[in-house]
Amino acid sequence: MGTDSPFLLAAVSLLSALQMGYLARRVGLSRMAYKVLPPSVTGPPEFERTFRAHQNCVECYPVFLVTLWTCGMFFSEATAATGGLLYIIARQIYFNGYVKSTKKRLPGFYLTVAVFVTLSLLGFIGILHGIQHKYSHVHL
Amino acid sequence: MGTDSPFLLAAVSLLSALQMGYLARRVGLSRMAYKVLPPSVTGPPEFERTFRAHQNCVECYPVFLVTLWTCGMFFSEATAATGGLLYIIARQIYFNGYVKSTKKRLPGFYLTVAVFVTLSLLGFIGILHGIQHKYSHVHL
Amino acid sequence: MGTDSPFLLAAVSLLSALQMGYLARRVGLSRMAYKVLPPSVTGPPEFERTFRAHQNCVECYPVFLVTLWTCGMFFSEATAATGGLLYIIARQIYFNGYVKSTKKRLPGFYLTVAVFVTLSLLGFIGILHGIQHKYSHVHL
């Protein structure tokens, strides 16, 4: 890779992958604490909230990667990487809140949505700008 | 990014990410309609079908991204992007069908499999062609 | 794509996507064998173990793709591709073991973790080295 490689996007992606591993570990620890043996996924409310919090992060993760890289490659790498760090923080707030109570998942959830909307919009702007540039370049 | 950047693949990826967000929202609305409070994932049959339809899309999504980009980078971007749009339509047919009845998920499911098989095969052809080209290039 | 394209990473990614399709098919066959009709995900213990084994692979898959490509693009493509093949083998051992008994999922699980730790560490080393190179290049 050259010196213009997307180091920041790669670093944030790897950091978010580590977070996914950490959250999976938290589910494993919750299994032990509440004696919920695999393959069961039902048990005391706190275990079920921990399990669902992780599942929600699993659902969000590929969507996050797509918006992070689209924004980073077609709009601005630094902006995308900042959004990516915010996403990681948002997911941690969401997870820790959800473990405590169903209601406490909401602040982290809204912050997650805000990051998604921002990264997607900037990504779309970057793509449209790139396509416009490509065709004006071809025609002139 | 230069004018030869994969704009189409990025645009289709972002569109599919938006669809994932929309399908997650549909599960949330179904939760409200049938009063299934998180973290519970069981309830009336229509809620459970909606929930499983979304889960199936979550399972398919990273596989889709891999086949889309492999086909697009190593075979043809326009072909892959067309396949990607078909995938998005297939998932929508699948989801809407599954919400109605378990049987009605099948047409969208078969179309999804057809897109996966096509993108994977073309991706493999592209990779093999590229490797062949690389080594013939090195040896001559 | 030029002759320096990441053919090995693309080939391993596509192979792992095929494995995900195969594992999903195994869940479908288990549904038929134990007469567990969708959208239900509960039934005899063997079905539930098969279902959870697949779910665990779904959870791991995006994390795998991030570590594979980060290691491959910023450290070494051949090393990452080798790690990727090991991951595919690890997941197969995990899945086949888990179908038999909850305890037999452990060897494949530990091998999966070992691959994740290795790919992540090498990826981080590669990124740090790249950033260092970039800035020493800029300053001199």
Side-chain angles (χ1 to χ4, degrees):
Chain A
M1 303 290 282
T3 52
D4 59 342
S5 298
F7 295 116
L8 293 178
L9 299 181
V12 170
S13 300
L14 210 43
L15 209 62
S16 66
L18 285 181
Q19 184 187 34
M20 290 304 290
Y22 167 70
L23 298 181
R25 177 83 186 127
R26 288 279 296 270
V27 177
L29 292 173
S30 184
R31 278 192 181 282
M32 285 184 227
Y34 296 100
K35 301 194 197 327
V36 180
L37 297 176
S40 175
V41 295
T42 49
E46 184 172 326
F47 169 75
E48 294 199 1
R49 288 197 308 272
T50 307
F51 179 78
R52 280 305 310 159
H54 176 242
Q55 286 299 308
N56 190 280
C57 293
V58 168
E59 292 164 17
C60 288
Y61 193 48
V63 172
F64 164 63
L65 292 172
V66 166
T67 56
L68 173 74
W69 282 83
T70 310
C71 179
M73 298 306 280
F74 297 94
F75 185 81
S76 147
E77 191 184 356
T79 307
T82 308
L85 291 177
L86 267 176
Y87 173 85
I88 292 171
I89 293 166
R91 285 285 99 185
Q92 205 57 52
I93 294 171
Y94 171 86
F95 188 92
N96 293 344
Y98 206 165
V99 168
K100 280 179 203 132
S101 83
T102 305
K103 217 169 199 174
K104 284 187 179 151
R105 81 190 192 289
L106 291 175
F109 173 75
Y110 293 133
L111 186 54
T112 304
V113 171
V115 172
F116 276 161
V117 169
T118 309
L119 289 177
S120 305
L121 274 179
L122 298 180
F124 261 124
I125 290 169
I127 291 172
L128 288 178
H129 189 261
I131 289 176
Q132 194 187 19
H133 179 76
K134 182 178 179 172
Y135 284 90
S136 68
H137 187 79
V138 168
H139 289 146
L140 295 180
Chain B
M1 303 290 284
T3 52
D4 59 342
S5 298
F7 295 115
L8 294 178
L9 298 182
V12 170
S13 299
L14 210 43
L15 209 62
S16 66
L18 285 182
Q19 184 187 33
M20 291 303 290
Y22 167 70
L23 299 181
R25 176 85 186 125
R26 287 278 296 270
V27 176
L29 292 173
S30 183
R31 277 191 181 282
M32 285 184 226
Y34 296 100
K35 303 195 197 322
V36 181
L37 297 176
S40 176
V41 295
T42 50
E46 184 171 326
F47 169 75
E48 293 200 2
R49 289 198 306 273
T50 307
F51 179 78
R52 280 306 309 158
H54 176 242
Q55 285 300 307
N56 190 280
C57 294
V58 169
E59 293 165 15
C60 287
Y61 192 48
V63 172
F64 164 63
L65 291 172
V66 166
T67 56
L68 173 75
W69 282 83
T70 310
C71 180
M73 297 306 280
F74 297 94
F75 185 81
S76 147
E77 191 185 355
T79 307
T82 308
L85 290 177
L86 267 176
Y87 173 85
I88 292 171
I89 294 166
R91 285 286 101 186
Q92 205 56 52
I93 295 171
Y94 171 87
F95 188 92
N96 292 343
Y98 206 165
V99 168
K100 279 178 204 133
S101 83
T102 304
K103 218 171 198 172
K104 284 186 180 153
R105 82 191 192 287
L106 292 176
F109 172 75
Y110 293 133
L111 186 53
T112 304
V113 172
V115 171
F116 275 160
V117 170
T118 308
L119 290 177
S120 305
L121 274 180
L122 297 180
F124 260 124
I125 290 170
I127 291 171
L128 289 178
H129 190 262
I131 290 176
Q132 195 186 19
H133 179 75
K134 181 178 180 173
Y135 283 91
S136 68
H137 187 78
V138 167
H139 288 147
L140 293 181
Chain C
M1 302 291 282
T3 53
D4 59 342
S5 299
F7 295 116
L8 293 179
L9 299 182
V12 170
S13 299
L14 210 42
L15 208 62
S16 66
L18 285 181
Q19 184 187 34
M20 290 304 290
Y22 167 70
L23 298 181
R25 176 85 186 126
R26 287 279 295 271
V27 176
L29 291 173
S30 184
R31 277 192 181 281
M32 287 183 224
Y34 296 99
K35 303 194 195 323
V36 181
L37 297 178
S40 175
V41 295
T42 50
E46 185 172 326
F47 168 75
E48 294 200 1
R49 289 198 306 273
T50 307
F51 179 78
R52 280 305 309 158
H54 175 242
Q55 286 299 307
N56 190 279
C57 293
V58 169
E59 292 165 16
C60 287
Y61 193 48
V63 172
F64 165 63
L65 291 172
V66 166
T67 57
L68 173 75
W69 281 84
T70 311
C71 180
M73 297 307 280
F74 297 93
F75 185 80
S76 147
E77 192 184 356
T79 307
T82 308
L85 290 177
L86 267 175
Y87 173 85
I88 292 171
I89 293 167
R91 285 285 100 185
Q92 205 56 51
I93 295 172
Y94 172 87
F95 188 92
N96 293 344
Y98 206 165
V99 169
K100 279 179 202 131
S101 83
T102 305
K103 217 169 198 173
K104 282 185 181 153
R105 83 190 191 288
L106 291 175
F109 172 75
Y110 293 133
L111 187 53
T112 304
V113 172
V115 172
F116 275 161
V117 169
T118 309
L119 290 177
S120 306
L121 274 179
L122 298 180
F124 261 124
I125 290 169
I127 291 171
L128 289 178
H129 189 262
I131 290 175
Q132 195 186 21
H133 179 75
K134 181 178 181 173
Y135 284 89
S136 68
H137 188 79
V138 167
H139 289 145
L140 295 180

